[in-house]
Amino acid sequence: MYTIKPGDRLLVLKNFFIAHSGTYMGCGLVAHISPHKGLRIEPIADFAGDRAIRIKPNGGNIPETLLWERLETFRNNPHYDFFTNNCEYLCNFLETGAAFSTQLQGGMVGFAVGCAAVRYSNVENPLAAIGLIILTTCLGAKIGAPKAPSIQPFPAF
């Protein structure tokens, strides 16, 4: 069984396309940001709820003190924003020092591909056009979403 280390990315699926990310900070705590709660530092059980946790190992490469220093910097902007301050932005910032979201970037590329497909294939049915755009947006987000190698059992602390 893998032992979670500070700096590891924890992922829980919100639905088939979207994963919610948090970074393990040590001592059983996860830093994450959500639309309803903003920036949170919570026990793993509160972060995961009843959902399975996937672990993307990053831990051991980032000093725990650096994680907490970066989190203090991030506290200047504790409010969630889908486009500029989502959970993946926070995790990437804590893990690398750069805030970005490959899931959001993938969704935006998928949206652009869907719009181009509608435009250049002359789709005339508005519902078919909207469906195509939604499908390509969701697929782009899924492709861009963080990947974790396997489902890990809930860790014992």
Side-chain angles (χ1 to χ4, degrees):
M1 175 194 264
Y2 179 80
T3 302
I4 300 173
K5 298 178 186 123
D8 283 346
R9 173 87 55 106
L10 305 183
L11 302 161
V12 291
L13 289 180
K14 291 169 64 175
N15 59 46
F16 179 72
F17 292 106
I18 306 297
H20 180 57
S21 298
T23 298
Y24 183 66
M25 301 298 288
C27 300
L29 299 173
V30 178
H32 67 108
I33 191 167
S34 68
H36 304 293
K37 297 179 182 179
L39 181 61
R40 307 285 290 176
I41 302 162
E42 298 182 316
I44 290 176
D46 293 343
F47 167 75
D50 60 354
R51 300 169 294 190
I53 299 172
R54 290 183 180 258
I55 301 169
K56 180 180 176 190
N58 297 323
N61 301 326
I62 309 162
E64 198 171 333
T65 54
L66 180 57
L67 285 172
W68 287 99
E69 286 172 15
R70 287 178 177 163
L71 182 62
E72 278 304 312
T73 302
F74 204 87
R75 285 184 189 224
N76 294 331
N77 190 13
H79 302 290
Y80 178 92
D81 182 275
F82 179 78
F83 291 106
T84 62
N85 206 33
N86 63 36
C87 62
E88 198 179 0
Y89 275 80
L90 171 65
C91 292
N92 284 325
F93 181 74
L94 293 176
E95 297 162 19
T96 69
F100 59 93
S101 172
T102 56
Q103 187 169 329
L104 181 60
Q105 292 167 349
M108 291 178 1
V109 168
F111 178 80
V113 167
C115 289
V118 167
R119 168 70 175 96
Y120 294 108
S121 65
N122 297 319
V123 175
E124 293 183 18
N125 182 327
L127 291 178
I130 291 169
L132 180 60
I133 292 170
I134 290 171
L135 177 65
T136 57
T137 301
C138 291
L139 288 174
K142 182 70 175 169
I143 291 167
K147 309 294 186 282
S150 63
I151 296 175
Q152 300 290 332
F154 193 83
F157 287 98

